[in-house]
């Protein structure tokens, strides 16, 4: 009964014992991919085998030793069919084969993480500051162009508007003065600036 429980805790797929259930599921997935490929690939055609071999490696289809074993078998068949070693892509292994002690891992993480974080943080900070400065400059131009105070962006428009307002006001006052003069019966041939001024 104890051996039955031990077998349940072990994750065995295709003759390999995996440490976790997730790894065992990846192994099962690799087995199903192998079955599909075996139905589609004809061993009598080396070019078909080469195409499958190269696509499987380039797309990193296999994630477990089950898939790598299949690629190794394909590689051996390709070599037997006349391909040279240099004609074939090497099979990449995605896991390290040497174990590191926990202290080695910890010290390597300490060495890598601060500098990596500083570079990463520095880039993000630089990007954020650049975006903020661009927004501030745009806001300054918007405020300067819509402001009623004279500045280099809107001085011509503001002065033209002020002059036209003064001109309009002067014309209205002159018209009011002329009407008042008519009512009072004052008719003077002199202009406003030519009159007697006594100080």
């Amino acid at each position: 009964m104890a051996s039955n429980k031990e077998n349940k805790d072990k994750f065995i797929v295709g003759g390999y014992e995996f440490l976790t259930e997730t790894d065992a599921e990846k192994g099962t997935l690799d087995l199903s991919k192998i079955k599909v490929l075996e139905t589609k690939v004809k061993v009598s055609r080396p070019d078909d085998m080469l195409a499958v071999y190269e696509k499987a490696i380039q797309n990193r289809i296999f994630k477990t030793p089950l898939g790598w074993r299949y690629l190794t078998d394909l590689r051996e068949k390709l070599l037997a069919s006349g391909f040279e070693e240099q004609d074939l892509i090497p099979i990449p292994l995605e896991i390290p084969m040497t174990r590191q002690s926990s202290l080695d891992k910890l010290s390597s993480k300490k060495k890598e993480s601060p500098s990596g974080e500083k570079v990463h943080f520095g880039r993000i900070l630089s990007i954020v500051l650049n975006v903020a400065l661009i927004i501030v400059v745009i806001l300054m131009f918007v405020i300067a162009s819509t402001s009623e105070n004279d500045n280099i962006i809107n001085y011509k428009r503001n002065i033209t508007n002020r002059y036209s307002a003064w001109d309009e006001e002067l014309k209205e006052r002159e018209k009011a003065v002329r009407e008042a003069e008519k009512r009072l019966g004052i008719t003077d041939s002199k202009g406003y600036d030519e009159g007697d001024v006594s100080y």
Side-chain angles (χ1 to χ4, degrees), residues 27-192:
T28 305
L29 187 61
D30 277 0
L31 277 179
S32 64
K33 291 175 186 176
I34 291 168
K35 287 178 185 173
V36 170
L37 288 174
E38 285 177 344
T39 60
K40 293 185 177 185
V41 176
K42 295 185 180 179
V43 182
S44 60
R45 295 185 187 164
D47 291 334
D48 290 349
M49 284 192 306
L50 179 64
V52 168
Y53 175 80
E54 289 178 346
K55 283 291 185 184
I57 290 174
Q58 290 169 352
N59 295 335
R60 301 204 184 259
I61 292 175
F62 298 115
K63 306 290 183 196
T64 65
L66 291 164
W68 301 334
R69 182 182 66 192
Y70 175 72
L71 289 174
T72 303
D73 292 344
L74 266 180
R75 184 180 185 83
E76 289 174 7
K77 288 176 185 175
L78 287 167
L79 290 171
S81 69
F83 285 98
E84 295 293 321
E85 188 73 34
Q86 62 269 14
D87 297 336
L88 302 176
I89 301 172
I91 300 169
L93 299 179
E94 298 178 355
I95 57 171
M97 296 299 156
T98 56
R99 287 189 167 209
Q100 288 182 332
S101 69
S102 298
L103 292 174
D104 290 340
K105 287 181 183 177
L106 185 62
S107 65
S108 67
K109 284 182 182 177
K110 283 183 179 178
K111 290 177 185 174
E112 293 174 8
S113 62
S115 63
E117 288 175 8
K118 286 180 182 177
V119 170
H120 187 64
F121 178 73
R123 279 192 192 144
I124 291 174
L125 181 63
S126 173
I127 291 170
V128 168
L129 288 176
N130 285 332
V131 169
L133 286 172
I134 290 170
I135 290 172
V136 167
V137 168
I138 291 171
L139 284 174
M140 287 173 53
F141 275 107
V142 169
I143 291 171
S145 66
T146 58
S147 173
E148 292 189 20
N149 294 335
D150 293 338
N151 56 48
I152 198 164
I153 296 174
N154 65 1
Y155 75 92
K156 183 177 180 182
R157 183 185 64 216
N158 285 350
I159 290 174
T160 306
N161 289 344
R162 248 186 256 138
Y163 176 75
S164 63
W166 290 338
D167 188 41
E168 197 65 38
E169 186 180 335
L170 282 174
K171 286 180 182 177
E172 287 177 14
R173 283 186 179 183
E174 187 177 347
K175 184 178 178 184
V177 167
R178 292 198 191 271
E179 287 176 5
E181 285 177 348
K182 281 185 184 178
R183 268 184 302 171
L184 296 174
I186 302 173
T187 55
D188 192 10
S189 61
K190 295 181 184 178
Y192 290 109

